[in-house]
Amino acid sequence: MARITQLKTRIVCNRELAESYRYLEFESSCIAKAALPGQFVNIRVSGTSDPLLRRPLSIHGIKGRRVKVLYEVVGKATGILASKKPGDSLDILGPLGNGFNLDRAAPFSAKESNIVVAGGMGVAPLVFLAETLKKSKTQIAQAETIVLIGAKTKKFILCRKEFEALGFSVRIATDDGSLGFKGKVTDLLNSFCGKTRPGMIFSCGPRPMLQAVALAAAEKNIPAQLSLEEYMACGIGACLGCVVSTRQGYKTVCKDGPVFFGEDLIW
Amino acid sequence: MVRSGKPDLGVRINKLNLKNPVMAASGTFGYAEEFKDLMDLKKLGAVVTKTITLKPRPGNPPPRICETPSGMLNSVGLENPGIDAFISTKLAFLKKLGIPLIVSIAAEESPVEFEILIGKLEAVKEIAAIELNISCPNLRKDKLVSQDAGDTAAVVGAVRKLTSKILITKLSPNVTCITDIAMAAEDAGSDALALINTLSGMRIDVRKRIPMLGSRSGGLSGPAVRPVAVKMVWDVYNKIKIPIIGMGGIMDVESALEFFIAGASAVSLGTVNFVNPGACLEVISGLERYMINNRIPDLSRLTGSLKLCQD
Ligand SMILES: Cc1cc2nc3c(=O)[nH]c(=O)nc-3n(C[C@H](O)[C@H](O)[C@H](O)COP(=O)(O)OP(=O)(O)OC[C@H]3O[C@@H](n4cnc5c(N)ncnc54)[C@H](O)[C@@H]3O)c2cc1C
Ligand SMILES: Cc1cc2nc3c(=O)[nH]c(=O)nc-3n(C[C@H](O)[C@H](O)[C@H](O)COP(=O)(O)O)c2cc1C
Ligand code: FES
């Protein structure tokens, strides 16, 4: 695994995307060089003890020496992060965790496709995944990739353009029907699993959505790689605070994950 | 008074010499390997492992962590691979570090387990000391060994007979009178005391009206507990002669100094490792600077140097 670094760096960009959704960019050539899709950084937003702990945020993409992050303001730490300006310093630990696995050696027939399922903020690491798939020479990356994005309403549908620019087809689901299919992104997934023959599902989003994705995948016998969240302290596998239940016992989300195969998880 | 050169940061715990008094606390530093990219581990005064039990322990159900004002609760529940897997998979890296290694152990059901645990550790010469964790709030027991002076004396006394290694007893702050427990451990042959372990605590999600932690309650650590810890170190220092390893909410050299002045001979850093992995080394260099600036030639002159105005 790539070396983990702790660094103090500067914010390059920190702007609003839609309401509480924001885009952050910071400089770090070591993280930019080492990062793999699905990995995250653990950010300390304040030098004080309130908030005390770092907060995990997924790596959304790499642009030269810069690292991109998408985040939602949900509480204290993300609120403080939102108030920071370009040039302000940021204390980062990363890149962390075990990302998506693109080295699947099993025969991946031309008829099969990859399905990327994003729920809300879960889209963040999946753009990085899509960019990597596009460049990768692995077998899995040669298959067509279809992206399904779900959110509460139209304005929270992020990154559609990024996926389309990569040449991937995008389908949208919104809870209120303000854009695309009215309903859950997992309903879209179920209908796709009927029509096409997905070879691999990649997903990130709220836990209930991931559970539904895991269920759909299991029913159709499709391997699914799911990026999970759990409360974290260290982010490096030392405190054993961030575990999830798997068939091999408790595993740390920060080090063994955050990406797990659906069949290994116990919900 | 040393006029030139560096102050002496060395500290002695019975026959064990530490080159400096700063160690990483049990359960917050994994098995040290987790931190190898982030710091020069060889500079630590000592490292204390996650608490090891005889059998593997899966630990408690998640969520196991939640943040509290200037602190955190954890209910990890002593997840560890068990003594045999510890020896076969974790020990090699720790041995290679060449710094004093302190192995924390706990018994799940009966103190008899200590006999087998020690039997397996005694032969490993790189293990400098054994830390007896008789104070973990995450073992679902009605009462901790370290909540009773008699029980503490019995366990420490029994383990004392089994090992020739340095024996450290880790105490719980969840007691009426910490000095009674501390004296019991000293009388029973402990070479040093480590205090404090976490304070029992709970946080509630008021929207869902459920506990924030999977096992309902957990142990509080971090800056929030520091004043409690400093007071306990001070109280205990005034009653015992063996060295105290002070801990609880140390974030930087300033907070570490409180412990030394209150009576600690060494300090252990826990929660801060999650926030600032460089903290242990910063405390070592900050301590040296403080000693130079205040003309303190060796650490023993700092320990317990609290000034009280006479009235
Ligand atoms: C591996 C990983 C990657 C993540 N990537 C992103 C990302 O790319 N973009 C993004 O916006 N968020 C991401 N998150 C979630 C993000 O870490 C939390 O939203 C953040 O820590 C909230 O901090 P806060 O102090 O603002 O909120 P708090 O005041 O701590 O909490 C506000 C709310 O957020 C929930 N929450 C807080 N921390 C977590 C957590 N670690 N896991 C689950 N729920 C939490 C709380 O239950 C509460 O409801 C990720 C989490 C993990 C574990
Ligand atoms: C996540 C976590 C796990 C811990 N696990 C152990 C343990 O296994 N054994 C032990 O003796 N103490 C354990 N502790 C307690 C610490 O070693 C230390 O006594 C306590 O956290 C107070 O110090 P701090 O405020 O610097 O963290 C743990 C603490 C935390 C936060
Ligand atoms: S956050 Fe500490 S082990 Fe995952």
Side-chain angles (χ1 to χ4, degrees), chain B residues 63 78 178 269 290 303:
Chain B
L78 298 191
I178 188 84
L269 274 59
Y290 179 88
T303 295

Side-chain angles (χ1 to χ4, degrees), chain A residues 42 231-243 252-255, chain B residues 65 274:
Chain A
N42 215 4
Y231 290 97
M232 288 186 181
C234 70
I236 57 173
C239 72
L240 306 178
C242 65
V243 298
T252 57
V253 171
C254 71
K255 193 172 184 187
Chain B
I65 295 271
F274 309 150

Side-chain angles (χ1 to χ4, degrees), chain B residues 164-225:
Chain B
S164 58
K165 295 191 189 294
I166 298 296
L167 184 60
I168 301 165
T169 308
K170 186 155 178 187
L171 303 184
S172 167
N174 293 305
V175 292
T176 319
C177 184
I178 188 84
T179 53
D180 287 352
I181 314 288
M183 289 188 291
E186 178 180 44
D187 291 345
S190 195
D191 295 304
L193 300 178
L195 60 141
I196 58 173
N197 208 320
T198 54
L199 275 152
S200 185
M202 187 171 185
R203 208 187 133 191
I204 293 169
D205 179 334
V206 296
R207 265 188 319 117
K208 298 186 195 151
R209 296 196 206 177
I210 57 170
M212 294 283 281
L213 293 175
S215 56
R216 299 178 190 168
S217 66
L220 183 65
S221 65
V225 310

Side-chain angles (χ1 to χ4, degrees), chain A residues 2-6 44 49-55 93 230-234 236-241 243-244 250 255, chain B residues 27-30 34-35 37-38 58-65 67 70-72 76 79 223 251 271 274-278:
Chain A
R3 205 185 148 84
I4 299 168
T5 39
Q6 179 191 5
R44 187 177 187 196
S49 62
D50 184 24
L52 177 65
L53 299 173
R54 290 172 179 272
R55 295 294 193 269
L93 202 63
E230 197 33 87
Y231 290 97
M232 288 186 181
C234 70
I236 57 173
C239 72
L240 306 178
V243 298
V244 285
Y250 288 131
K255 193 172 184 187
Chain B
T28 64
F29 212 63
E34 293 85 346
F35 284 83
D37 288 354
L38 296 167
N60 286 331
R64 290 178 173 182
I65 295 271
E67 189 162 326
S70 295
M72 64 177 279
V76 171
E79 175 177 336
M251 292 300 280
T271 302
F274 309 150
V275 182
N276 174 17

Side-chain angles (χ1 to χ4, degrees), chain B residues 90-113:
Chain B
K90 308 288 185 192
L91 198 55
F93 179 87
L94 290 161
K95 279 183 181 175
K96 267 193 310 205
L97 289 178
I99 55 174
L101 170 58
I102 302 173
V103 177
S104 169
I105 55 174
E108 293 177 277
E109 304 294 334
S110 127
V112 178
E113 293 163 38

Side-chain angles (χ1 to χ4, degrees), chain A residues 107-263:
Chain A
F108 214 82
S109 84
K111 280 194 224 80
E112 289 179 317
S113 55
N114 297 309
I115 300 203
V116 172
V117 187
M121 212 9 105
V123 76
L126 296 172
V127 173
F128 189 20
L129 169 74
E131 289 167 351
T132 311
L133 271 175
K134 190 71 191 178
K135 280 186 263 172
S136 167
K137 299 271 177 290
T138 60
Q139 232 176 341
I140 202 167
Q142 308 316 307
E144 181 195 7
T145 297
I146 299 160
V147 181
L148 314 179
I149 311 176
K152 272 192 233 96
T153 181
K154 184 176 165 180
K155 64 172 177 264
F156 295 126
I157 296 288
L158 303 178
C159 305
R160 176 184 195 159
K161 284 208 193 78
E162 280 89 333
F163 289 113
E164 285 173 347
L166 293 166
F168 297 159
S169 61
V170 177
R171 298 288 186 291
I172 309 282
T174 49
D175 293 353
D176 62 358
S178 53
L179 191 68
F181 172 80
K182 181 175 192 302
K184 296 278 171 212
V185 70
T186 40
D187 298 332
L188 263 189
L189 173 66
N190 277 319
S191 71
F192 260 89
C193 291
K195 278 185 255 161
T196 60
R197 173 80 192 96
M200 181 69 77
I201 295 173
F202 298 96
S203 186
C204 182
R207 205 178 175 92
M209 183 202 97
L210 291 176
Q211 193 174 354
V213 170
L215 190 71
E219 274 172 8
K220 308 247 162 29
N221 221 349
I222 306 162
Q225 299 188 30
L226 312 173
S227 180
L228 300 194
E229 289 186 7
E230 197 33 87
Y231 290 97
M232 288 186 181
C234 70
I236 57 173
C239 72
L240 306 178
C242 65
V243 298
V244 285
S245 262
T246 76
R247 298 200 191 284
Q248 296 82 42
Y250 288 131
K251 293 275 176 194
T252 57
V253 171
C254 71
K255 193 172 184 187
D256 302 315
V259 179
F260 292 90
F261 275 92
E263 70 242 32

Side-chain angles (χ1 to χ4, degrees), chain B:
Chain B
M1 182 89 218
V2 273
R3 291 199 175 281
S4 62
K6 297 184 163 202
D8 184 3
L9 266 72
V11 51
R12 254 183 100 87
I13 299 176
N14 199 341
K15 59 187 188 302
L16 171 64
N17 285 307
L18 306 184
K19 64 177 179 289
N20 71 63
V22 180
M23 47 183 99
S26 179
T28 64
F29 212 63
Y31 302 94
E33 196 166 2
E34 293 85 346
F35 284 83
K36 70 176 189 302
D37 288 354
L38 296 167
M39 65 189 289
D40 184 358
L41 294 163
K42 292 189 163 63
K43 290 189 172 159
L44 290 171
V47 61
V48 189
T49 67
K50 175 78 192 162
T51 298
I52 312 292
T53 50
L54 188 54
K55 287 191 230 127
R57 267 182 73 87
N60 286 331
R64 290 178 173 182
I65 295 271
C66 75
E67 189 162 326
T68 60
S70 295
M72 64 177 279
L73 285 167
N74 90 81
S75 61
V76 171
L78 298 191
E79 175 177 336
N80 80 91
I83 185 75
D84 291 334
F86 165 73
I87 289 172
S88 62
T89 65
K90 308 288 185 192
L91 198 55
F93 179 87
L94 290 161
K95 279 183 181 175
K96 267 193 310 205
L97 289 178
I99 55 174
L101 170 58
I102 302 173
V103 177
S104 169
I105 55 174
E108 293 177 277
E109 304 294 334
S110 127
V112 178
E113 293 163 38
F114 283 125
E115 204 169 318
I116 313 172
L117 285 163
I118 304 249
K120 295 187 189 241
L121 297 172
E122 195 65 10
V124 185
K125 67 173 191 311
E126 288 86 352
I127 299 174
I130 302 284
E131 184 170 282
L132 275 186
N133 178 2
I134 50 171
S135 49
C136 178
N138 290 320
L139 272 172
R140 305 271 129 218
K141 293 272 169 63
D142 298 338
K143 193 173 169 196
L144 305 169
V145 169
S146 68
Q147 283 172 327
D148 183 285
D151 293 352
T152 300
V155 169
V156 173
V159 174
R160 178 71 285 172
K161 290 201 195 80
L162 298 168
T163 180
S164 58
K165 295 191 189 294
I166 298 296
L167 184 60
I168 301 165
T169 308
K170 186 155 178 187
L171 303 184
S172 167
N174 293 305
V175 292
T176 319
C177 184
I178 188 84
T179 53
D180 287 352
I181 314 288
M183 289 188 291
E186 178 180 44
D187 291 345
S190 195
D191 295 304
L193 300 178
L195 60 141
I196 58 173
N197 208 320
T198 54
L199 275 152
S200 185
M202 187 171 185
R203 208 187 133 191
I204 293 169
D205 179 334
V206 296
R207 265 188 319 117
K208 298 186 195 151
R209 296 196 206 177
I210 57 170
M212 294 283 281
L213 293 175
S215 56
R216 299 178 190 168
S217 66
L220 183 65
S221 65
V225 310
R226 189 190 308 146
V228 176
V230 170
K231 169 71 161 54
M232 287 189 163
V233 167
W234 163 244
D235 286 347
V236 170
Y237 175 74
N238 286 307
K239 294 278 185 177
I240 64 163
K241 295 198 174 58
I242 53 176
I244 298 169
I245 303 163
M247 74 194 83
I250 296 176
M251 292 300 280
D252 47 25
V253 68
E254 185 92 11
S255 41
L257 282 165
E258 281 196 65
F259 284 83
F260 286 111
I261 296 166
S265 296
V267 290
S268 223
L269 274 59
T271 302
V272 70
N273 295 312
F274 309 150
V275 182
N276 174 17
C280 286
L281 303 192
E282 287 169 19
V283 169
I284 296 168
S285 53
L287 187 59
E288 188 173 80
R289 232 176 302 119
Y290 179 88
M291 288 169 70
I292 292 170
N293 292 344
N294 291 278
R295 297 167 179 275
I296 300 169
D298 68 84
L299 206 63
S300 62
R301 310 255 188 117
L302 182 61
T303 295
S305 61
L306 183 69
K307 296 175 186 165
L308 300 171
C309 47
Q310 310 289 325
D311 52 356

